[in-house]
Amino acid sequence: GAIAMAAAGRLRRRLLLVVPWHWGCSPRRWGTGGPAAGQVRAAFLRFFQERHGHRRLPSASVRPRGDPHLLFVNAGMNQFKPIFLGTVHPRSELAQYKRVVNSQKCVRAGGKHNDLEDVGRDTYHHTFFEMLGNWSFGDYFKEEACSMAWELLTEVYEIPKDRLYVTYFGGDSSLGLNADEECRDIWLCLGVPASHVLPFPLKDNFWEMGDTGPCGPCTEIHYDHVGGGRNAAALVNQGSPDVVEIWNLVFMQYSREVEGNLIPLPQHHVDTGMGLERLVTVLQNKHSNYDTDLFAPILDAIHKGCGGPRYQGLVGEADIGAVNMAYRVVADHVRTLCVCITDGIYPGLSGAELVLRRILRRAVRFCSEVLHAPPGLLASLVPTVVDVLVSKNYIINENEAAFLSSLERGRRIIERTVQQMEPSMDFPAEVAWSLYGNLGFPLDLIDLMLEEKGIRLDSAAFDELALEDAKVRGTLCSFEGRIPLTAGLHSNNVPVTDDSPKYAYTLGQHGQYEFSPCQATVLMLYRDQSLQEEVGAGQRCGVILDRTNFYAEQGGQASDRGYLMHLGQQDTLFPVESVHLCGGYVIHEVTAVETLRAGDQVQLFVDEAQRLACMINHTATHLLSFALRHILGDNTEQQGSHVTAERLRFDFNTKGPVTMEHLQQVEQVVQEVIKRNEVVHMAEVPLTLARRVQGLRTVDEEYPDPVRIVSLGVPVESVLIHDSEAAMHTSVELCCGTHLLQTGAVEDLAIISERQLAKGISRVIAVTGGQAKQAREVGQYLAMEVDSLSIRLKQGSTSIPEVQNLSKEVGQLTKVVASTAMPQWQRKELQTILKALQRTANTAIKKLEMQQAAEKAQSLLAKHCNQPVIIDTVPADSPSILMKVVNHLCDKSPGTSVLLLSPQASGEVLCACQVSKNCLPMFSAADWATAVCTQMEGKAGGSCVVAKGSGNAKGMQGALTTALAFAQSKL
């Protein structure tokens, strides 16, 4: 662990590329090559830090901290979001920033900013890039931002001024926004000719963080690669590869509300972003990012690794066989892989990890299929990208090897299918679904392979299969307890299945799990309630083999998934959707892609990633069970559990309530065992011996004899010694599940839910590894949000709408905290704080409304001095304030009847009235309000003493006349 951390630290330092501090030489002495990328980056940082007093910050990790909406950090501004949104904790370091400069690692793949599909097709899209940026938080604004940018580009980098064009926001009448003439005039004052200063509409020059929140006009600087005195204004923002945007300066001066209207921000911010790759292309006088020194060494290494033709920078039809596209894909993707792995994102099964897995597989496929590279090329490129740790290199190697074999099988399946197809047919969805579901082919990869052959996928049919599969997974038919099935198998002398190969796995030298291959013979097939010797193509059936390495659902652990393949025939997969145990027989639920017969020899492929995730969660369940007994006492007994690849569920009985302190302590106990990386000992033991183990936690189930004992940290022989108390101090359980061989791979465990199922029985749900880490990060992020809200409420605003907005925010945050995966102890803690904040906000609103009502009543009393009837209009923010004004007036002047109208900004008019007790029963408040509101095409209701209603502003004058006439007729 320590070596890996040290190496990761070294890699991080390498990624920051410590470079010479001085620009060092003028362009005239660079020769034709221009400055190195490291010098370009250093000059940017140094310019803002030394010449303009900016604070230099290191790049944040590409794994977003506590932002559940983001897969990767995809822009320089991600880490400063709390400042823009006003949620930053005032005592935090972040709140002290005024002007900042950095170079941020960014990944755009998956999610809203998804460049993955475009990478390789052209010469300027990347999944990983560096964003150079300077920031002002309430310090300088447009004038300084523009002049610094111009100074850096034209004086430091010495870019010819006549090749630069600037754009500004041209206004939007539908939003009532004028053109940003201030920005235009700044550029003109800096000496940019008017023909190079161009207005553009909202979509090009108005930047928004999201549907709501900070936004504002932006100004972009574009560069013309051709130059030569021409005017390229007509090519700006037209997608021309010759005229490209290099720098975007965003001026955050508005906030977009939920209703869509824009309000000015109290503080103005500047957020600028310039892609290092594009800037280096300009300064090294290249036409493509891939021709710069950021990519050339990697492209050379690819060429050395696979031979074949060199990279020539060709695109589209000129790129015969997509060789150049493959070079670009591999060079781009290996950079992304290195950076993500360094920041702790590994290829996996969900979220950012799944996107990284797709990137890795896309790169491997181009290496193998297009560049005909030997296996291992991708990993061999890592030292070229950066001198990276052996284990990081290994992660790529291991994944590459696994995917290469799948790729080879997939390619053969596609070839064979295409040969059998009619010329104008779409590629059959069933085959694509099989590749997707069983070989882990990303859909975009299937599309690409078909596109190369000029064939389309039948997408509609594919989507239908996906829907059907979701339904089937929801209601998988079970083969358990089918008496005719087991009886039939016995009477046919079919031997029970040997499923011991499911435990055949070891730990490799780099800590990765290696699962032994397994071959088997089909003994019998089961379909339509009967045993059959043969099943035709397209039919679902149960397959009984002589041996299997598939884990059948039992002991609370979900079954394996994967596929079977005819031995020696590599082009047909039989997907295994679920696996059941039935009287000693393991039934594999399979869809027969072609005819399956008893006697067929098959090779078995378990989905290793899913199996490993189940192993992690099952071992974690034992740790959790031990920790609960340790913290809550020995009488805590397991009542049931369920383990899947995604999470684990554990039910237990307990005498008293489970407190949040208990949950924190349980997590700590589990984390200690994980840190110690204890060996998980497993052995089959005769049941009579097993019964002797002191403190053995059994679950009320029928155990086979011999039984399997799983013991953490203590060899099974030690717990079996007569009178040994070893089992009292660790986790020892009877268990048929598949487990880790050492506890370290669990990494972390977070309990994300705890509730009572019945009196004395609790259920907890927990996640492990990366999901646990993410739950903790989200928890910390939400804790900061709650903290920030609490501080803003304590400031004691005197504006009712402001406090109402804060109250609304408390409500929204309460919903988010209730529904987001985070540590349960922290959820409860935040819910308690939010409850108190809601009370504080409600009390503050009531108090402010009373104050406001008293002031308004006071001035109306002075105006109408002791009149028997007061009829008037008054500004009021809500019906409750209006009613309070009426009540106040009647309290202070008991003989007076009062009716007040309050016109609202929306065009509605609120009405409230109260009738003096002296006037009853002749005069009814409900009738009075109804007469008045009917005049305004509205409605009203209430009692004879008080009433309220509303109507339309158009009828307000008539309503006042009606109010007076009605009162006079009754008095």
Side-chain angles (χ1 to χ4, degrees), residues 489-559:
L489 288 167
H490 282 307
S491 63
N492 276 299
N493 293 324
V494 176
V496 294
T497 317
D498 168 19
D499 64 351
S500 60
K502 69 186 178 191
Y503 298 126
Y505 49 86
T506 55
L507 263 179
Q509 64 183 105
H510 297 288
Q512 82 290 1
Y513 280 81
E514 292 172 350
F515 297 84
S516 303
C518 183
Q519 288 179 16
T521 306
V522 176
L523 299 182
M524 194 60 81
L525 301 158
Y526 180 77
R527 188 169 181 276
D528 294 338
Q529 313 288 313
S530 68
L531 293 173
Q532 303 182 1
E533 298 247 335
E534 186 176 303
V535 166
Q539 297 183 324
R540 288 169 82 89
C541 63
V543 179
I544 296 100
L545 305 167
D546 61 339
R547 60 202 300 271
T548 184
N549 58 349
F550 276 80
Y551 184 86
E553 181 161 0
Q554 58 180 320
Q557 181 179 324
S559 78

Side-chain angles (χ1 to χ4, degrees), residues 879 882-883 886-887 898-900 909-915 924-934 936 938-951:
L882 189 63
M883 189 50 97
V886 170
N887 300 151
V898 180
L899 183 140
L900 298 179
V909 176
L910 304 177
C911 168
C913 66
Q914 183 171 340
V915 170
S924 152
D927 293 348
W928 196 14
T930 302
V932 171
C933 292
T934 305
M936 300 187 291
K939 287 194 180 112
S943 67
C944 52
V945 182
V946 290
K948 63 181 178 182
S950 65

Side-chain angles (χ1 to χ4, degrees), residues 700-723:
D700 187 20
E701 284 180 2
E702 292 287 319
Y703 279 94
D705 191 4
V707 290
R708 193 170 168 80
I709 290 185
V710 178
S711 167
L712 293 187
V714 179
V716 176
E717 303 87 78
S718 307
V719 301
L720 289 174
I721 296 168
H722 194 58
D723 284 342

Side-chain angles (χ1 to χ4, degrees), residues 381-425:
L381 299 175
V382 175
T384 312
V385 180
V386 72
D387 184 10
V388 75
L389 230 192
V390 173
S391 65
K392 305 284 185 230
N393 188 333
Y394 193 82
I395 286 163
I396 292 180
N397 239 332
E398 182 191 345
N399 275 274
E400 180 175 8
F403 184 55
L404 269 172
S405 60
S406 300
L407 184 64
E408 189 48 36
R409 285 198 283 274
R411 198 173 52 73
R412 279 202 292 270
I413 290 167
I414 288 179
E415 295 287 352
R416 193 183 80 144
T417 311
V418 171
Q419 279 162 15
Q420 293 170 352
M421 276 167 52
E422 299 291 323
S424 60
M425 266 174 70

